[in-house]
């Protein structure tokens, strides 16, 4: 007999003691009853029955213990076997089975256990972990894809809705799953498209354009939607996938292209009309010399204006296409500002505009293309003069900062309205809030070119303005830092420019 069960808290030990107690209690009660009877009937009966009684009692207790041991083993052995095999299965061994030795509850449990191991073995052969990982990966991709995704079943109940679609329609996947699409999305055009896709014969729908309100800023956003049926085995329809792509930027680009073509056509038509008209007048034989010179000067002026427009437009196009040649070198911004003012100060003098320059002492060099930076300073200075009334003032400030040089051009001119500020750097865009500004002629490309040049040099440009109170245009350029690989030639170049 195995007595290890006395040392461990096992099912077998509990069954053994419970069964033994249940078996021995009747024997003890019988023994007490006989003992009381013997006491009442005298010593003679006690002498005759005592030996036989104790022998029978001992045999009964022994049989009870053996029966209890056998019964406990019969019940606990299969359960212990179940425990060992369950541990093997948990470790990934799905080939184990239990011998079915009876047709009772334990036998039926053994059959169910074997069926479970067979199914686990089949799933393991299908690589269950790989399937689960692929499913989680697919869900993660769908949830984080840049396009909106809405998946419904054949009854148009929501199965999946990703993060982008949640944001656009103001819903949550947790509350939307398994609900009819009508309760989740209230855009009638999208609902009609889904119904048409389910009821139609085509596998994919025609693209549909939707217009929604952006929940962040309540601006219009445009979506292109395409729905497709999803089929499973035996060509059974299992759902519909709807892809929503944000085409707001494309719509804005199309609008800007249309405006750009219109503005280019307008800007080209005006000088070409003048050139064509005055050229015809020059062909008149009765024209005097003074009139001919006047018409010729107008033609030259309009031709120069047309040439300036085309050159600026080409410069911007080259920079945007990355084809512009940038010849960077260490340059002194104060020298560039002084050069621009020396040549163009007469523009301010005509309107009696006071011009001043303030610069930090010992201003460091910047690494830039001198000609391009001259264009930036000239455009900002000429605009400050052009859009200021007589007797105004223009101040140019150069500030030495930690990593860059800040250049500010401040005027006390007409200013720019709050509505025009966001588009002030767009091509051909010209603010015309003030009566005097409408009479000022320009291409509308100067600030756009300035922005492209500054950003090409790794700087930033910004504007602060208030209508009627003037404007401050500012841009930054990174400082030139003499790197070890620059060598001796770079140091000589720095000294020459500094002198």
């Amino acid at each position: 007999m195995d007595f290890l069960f006395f040392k461990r808290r096992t099912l077998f030990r509990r069954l053994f003691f419970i069964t033994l107690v249940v078996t021995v209690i009747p024997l003890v009660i019988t023994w007490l009853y006989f003992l009381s009877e013997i006491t009442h009937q005298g010593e003679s009966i006690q002498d005759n029955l005592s030996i036989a009684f104790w022998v029978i009692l001992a045999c009964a207790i022994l049989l009870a213990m053996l029966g209890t041991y056998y019964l406990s083993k019969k019940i606990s052995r299969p359960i212990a076997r179940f425990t060992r095999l369950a541990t093997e299965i948990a470790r990934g061994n799905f080939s184990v089975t239990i011998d079915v030795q009876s047709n009772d509850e334990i036998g039926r449990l053994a059959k169910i256990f074997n069926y479970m191991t067979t199914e686990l073995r089949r799933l393991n052969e299908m690589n269950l972990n790989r399937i689960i990982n692929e499913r989680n990966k697919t869900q993660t991709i769908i949830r984080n894809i840049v396009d909106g995704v809405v998946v419904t079943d054949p009854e148009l109940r929501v199965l999946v809705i990703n993060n982008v679609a949640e944001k656009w329609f103001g819903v949550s996947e947790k509350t939307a799953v398994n609900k009819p699409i009508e309760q989740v999305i209230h855009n009638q055009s999208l609902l009609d498209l889904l119904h048409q896709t389910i009821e139609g014969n085509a596998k994919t729908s025609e693209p549909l354009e939707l217009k929604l309100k952006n929940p962040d800023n309540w601006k219009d956003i445009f979506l292109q939607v395409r729905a497709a049926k999803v089929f499973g085995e035996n060509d059974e329809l299992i759902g519909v996938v709807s892809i929503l792509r944000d085409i707001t930027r494309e719509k804005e680009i199309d609008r800007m292209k249309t405006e750009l073509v219109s503005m280019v056509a307008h800007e080209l038509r005006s000088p070409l009309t003048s050139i064509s008209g005055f050229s015809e007048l020059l062909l008149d034989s009765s024209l005097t010399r003074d009139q001919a010179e006047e018409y010729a000067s107008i033609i030259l002026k309009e031709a120069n204006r047309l040439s300036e427009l085309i050159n600026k437009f080409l410069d911007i196009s080259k920079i945007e296409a990355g084809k512009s040649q940038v010849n960077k070198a260490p340059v002194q911004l104060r020298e560039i500002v002084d050069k621009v003012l020396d040549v163009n100060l007469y523009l301010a003098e005509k309107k009696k505009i006071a011009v001043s320059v303030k610069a930090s002492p010992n201003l460091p060099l910047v690494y830039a293309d001198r000609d391009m930076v001259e264009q930036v300073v000239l455009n900002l200075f000429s605009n400050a003069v052009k859009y200021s009334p007589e007797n105004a003032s223009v101040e140019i400030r150069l500030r030495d900062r930690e990593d860059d040089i800040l250049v500010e051009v401040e005027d006390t001119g007409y200013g720019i309205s709050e509505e025009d500020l966001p588009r002030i750097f767009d091509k051909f865009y010209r603010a015309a809030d003030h009566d005097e500004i409408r009479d000022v002629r320009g291409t509308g490309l100067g600030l756009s070119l300035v922005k492209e040049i500054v950003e090409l040099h790794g700087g930033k440009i910004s504007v602060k303005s208030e209508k009627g109170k003037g404007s401050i245009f500012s841009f930054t350029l990174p400082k030139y830092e003499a790197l070890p690989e620059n060598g001796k030639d770079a140091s000589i170049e720095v000294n020459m420019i500094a002198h």
Side-chain angles (χ1 to χ4, degrees), residues 428-444:
F428 295 104
Y429 187 81
R430 298 180 68 234
D433 294 326
H434 207 277
D435 293 336
E436 286 80 355
I437 295 178
R438 295 187 180 95
D439 298 330
V440 177
R441 307 190 70 176
T443 63

Side-chain angles (χ1 to χ4, degrees), residues 169-338:
F169 295 106
V171 298
S172 171
E173 186 181 47
K174 292 182 180 179
T175 58
V177 170
N178 295 326
K179 288 186 178 179
I181 191 71
E182 290 85 357
Q183 297 181 13
V184 177
I185 297 175
H186 305 292
N187 187 286
Q188 192 59 44
S189 299
L190 178 58
L191 297 177
D192 293 341
L193 177 69
L194 293 175
H195 283 289
Q196 292 171 7
T197 304
I198 286 288
E199 297 167 2
N201 296 325
K203 292 184 178 181
T204 59
S205 68
E206 293 296 325
L208 172 70
E209 188 174 299
L210 301 179
K211 185 172 77 169
L212 304 176
K213 289 292 184 182
N214 191 326
D216 294 335
N217 50 27
W218 292 102
K219 292 183 178 180
D220 290 336
I221 57 174
F222 296 89
L223 307 177
Q224 186 183 73
V225 188
R226 188 184 290 270
K229 295 179 181 178
V230 180
F231 295 93
E233 297 179 357
N234 301 322
D235 292 334
E236 179 185 2
L237 180 64
I238 60 176
V240 177
V241 177
S242 302
I243 305 297
L244 301 93
R245 188 169 67 90
D246 188 352
I247 59 171
T248 305
R249 181 173 176 80
E250 286 87 340
K251 297 283 287 187
E252 181 67 16
I253 290 174
D254 288 340
R255 182 189 64 79
M256 292 175 66
K257 283 180 179 178
T258 303
E259 290 184 359
L260 179 61
V261 171
S262 176
M263 286 185 287
V264 169
H266 175 74
E267 292 295 332
L268 293 176
R269 184 188 296 117
S270 180
L272 285 174
T273 301
S274 299
I275 292 171
S276 176
F278 285 103
S279 296
E280 290 181 4
L281 291 176
L282 284 175
L283 297 176
D284 190 352
S285 59
S286 63
L287 204 65
T288 65
R289 181 173 180 81
D290 291 340
Q291 288 177 323
E293 289 180 355
E294 180 184 355
Y295 296 160
S297 65
I298 293 175
I299 292 173
L300 179 60
K301 179 180 178 183
E302 293 298 330
N304 290 335
R305 178 186 168 198
L306 185 60
S307 177
E308 180 188 3
L309 170 66
I310 294 173
N311 288 335
K312 284 186 176 179
F313 193 75
L314 290 176
D315 288 342
I316 295 174
S317 299
K318 286 181 180 178
I319 293 174
E320 289 180 340
K323 297 180 180 179
S324 179
Q325 293 184 352
V326 184
N327 301 314
K328 291 185 179 181
V331 295
Q332 175 58 255
L333 273 177
R334 178 60 191 266
E335 290 181 3
I336 293 177
V337 171
D338 290 340

Side-chain angles (χ1 to χ4, degrees), residues 20 54 57 74 96 342 378 497:
L20 182 63
W54 287 110
L57 181 61
K74 187 174 181 60
V96 295
D342 287 343
L378 175 59
I497 294 173

Side-chain angles (χ1 to χ4, degrees), residues 61 78 83 160 166 200 208 224 237 285 289 349 396 405 477 484 490:
I61 292 174
T83 302
V160 176
E166 284 180 346
L208 172 70
Q224 186 183 73
L237 180 64
S285 59
R289 181 173 180 81
E349 292 175 346
I396 301 176
I405 304 297
L477 290 176

Side-chain angles (χ1 to χ4, degrees), residues 426-469:
D426 292 350
K427 297 183 187 72
F428 295 104
Y429 187 81
R430 298 180 68 234
D433 294 326
H434 207 277
D435 293 336
E436 286 80 355
I437 295 178
R438 295 187 180 95
D439 298 330
V440 177
R441 307 190 70 176
T443 63
L445 289 172
L447 290 178
S448 180
L449 179 60
V450 166
K451 181 175 182 292
E452 295 292 342
I453 292 175
V454 170
E455 292 181 350
L456 183 64
H457 284 76
K460 295 180 180 179
I461 188 167
S462 60
V463 58
K464 296 179 182 178
S465 185
E466 188 175 346
K467 189 177 178 181
K469 296 186 178 180

